[in-house]
Structures are given as structure tokens and as C-alpha cells.
């Protein structure tokens, strides 16, 4: 993982983790221990799904740049389906408060997406390789003389 990739992952996971922690505290106050457990599970689920998706997307961008956009759309669809399956499986559970889980999951996902967009906009990643442009100029200039 390159330093820019690690920085991006840190820039999105830290605010998301903080949002999850706030969700756990609020859920504990409002819904008790089961609310705190539900919020913690929602936070962990978001961090696992979105974090692994980000890593997979970065690896795809490096190895198969032509598939980057399609892979991004596929990853978001798979992440949404995974959350839906999790919610369907645990909709009648008594292990945790489902509402606390859902609200914390939603807040954490929104913070993740917002900070991911912010990080991409602030990243100064070149989309043109300046070395190859300079070498082409040198080759072209050298062949004319």
C-alpha cells in the first residue's frame, strides 16, 4: 500500500470511527446496553465493508485501470447488498437494538463517503506521468537533429 493510499484510508476511517463512537454513546444513553452493542456492530460493519472495498478499489486502479469505474460501482452494490443481507438476517434479533444499529450504520456510512470524497478532492495525485512526457520530448527532439 502506497503512502497516499494509507493516508486516504486514515483520512476516512478516523472520522468514521469517531462517528461510530458518538453513536455508541448516544445509543447507550437512549437504548441502554443493547443500543451500544447495536451501534458498535454497525460501526464495525461499516469499517470492515468500506475499508475492504477501498483497498480492493485501490488495487484494481493500479492493476486494471480500465476496470476502475465498473469495479467502483460493483463494490458499492456489493456493500449495499451485504448490509441488506445482514439486516435481513438480524431484523428480529434480541442481541442488539436494531434501530441503534441502523442509525449508527447510516451516520457512519455518510461520514465515510463525505470524507472519502473530500480526501480525493484534496489529494494531489497526478493523472499524467510527467516523466514519460519529458522522455518523449527528448526522444522527439533527438531524432530531429
Amino acid at each position: 500500500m502506497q503512502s497516499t493510499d494509507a493516508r486516504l484510508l486514515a483520512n476516512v476511517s478516523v472520522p468514521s470511527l469517531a462517528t461510530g463512537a458518538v453513536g455508541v454513546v448516544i445509543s447507550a444513553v437512549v437504548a441502554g446496553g443493547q443500543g451500544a452493542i447495536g451501534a458498535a456492530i454497525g460501526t464495525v460493519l461499516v469499517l470492515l465493508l468500506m475499508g475492504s472495498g477501498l483497498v480492493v478499489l485501490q488495487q484494481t486502479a493500479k492493476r486494471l485501470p480500465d476496470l476502475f469505474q465498473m469495479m467502483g460501482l460493483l463494490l458499492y452494490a456489493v456493500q449495499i447488498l451485504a448490509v441488506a443481507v445482514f439486516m435481513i438476517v438480524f431484523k428480529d434479533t434480541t442481541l442488539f437494538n436494531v434501530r441503534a444499529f441502523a442509525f449508527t450504520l447510516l451516520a457512519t456510512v455518510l461520514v465515510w463517503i463525505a470524507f472519502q470524497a473530500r480526501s480525493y478532492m484534496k489529494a494531489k495525485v497526478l493523472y499524467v506521468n510527467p516523466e514519460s512526457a519529458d522522455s518523449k520530448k527528448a526522444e522527439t527532439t533527438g531524432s530531429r537533429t
Side-chain angles (χ1 to χ4, degrees), residues 22 42 47-48 59-60 68 116 130 142 144:
V22 170
L47 291 174
L48 287 176
Q59 295 301 318
T60 302
F68 180 70
Q116 186 175 5
R144 289 183 191 176

Side-chain angles (χ1 to χ4, degrees), residues 67-89:
L67 298 178
F68 180 70
Q69 185 176 13
M70 183 178 63
M71 188 61 140
L73 293 172
L74 179 66
L75 275 170
Y76 278 125
V78 168
Q79 290 166 343
I80 289 169
L81 286 174
V83 170
V85 167
F86 189 89
M87 291 181 78
I88 288 170
V89 168

Side-chain angles (χ1 to χ4, degrees), residues 129-145:
N129 188 357
E131 294 171 1
S132 64
D134 291 339
S135 64
K136 286 183 182 178
K137 282 183 184 178
E139 289 174 7
T140 309
T141 306
S143 63
R144 289 183 191 176
T145 51

Side-chain angles (χ1 to χ4, degrees), residues 35-56:
I37 293 170
I41 290 172
T43 302
V44 169
L45 185 64
V46 168
L47 291 174
L48 287 176
L49 285 175
M50 300 297 275
S52 62
L54 183 62
V55 170
V56 167

Side-chain angles (χ1 to χ4, degrees), residues 4-5 7-16 46-47 49-58 61 68 71-73 75-76 79 108-123 125:
T4 55
D5 298 341
R7 188 174 31 242
L8 174 66
L9 191 57
N11 286 342
V12 296
S13 61
V14 170
S16 299
V46 168
L47 291 174
L49 285 175
M50 300 297 275
S52 62
L54 183 62
V55 170
V56 167
L57 193 60
Q58 289 170 343
F68 180 70
M71 188 61 140
L73 293 172
L75 275 170
Y76 278 125
Q79 290 166 343
T108 309
V109 165
L110 291 175
V111 167
W112 181 284
I113 292 171
F115 275 87
Q116 186 175 5
R118 180 181 180 269
S119 294
Y120 278 129
M121 290 174 63
K122 288 192 166 263
V125 178

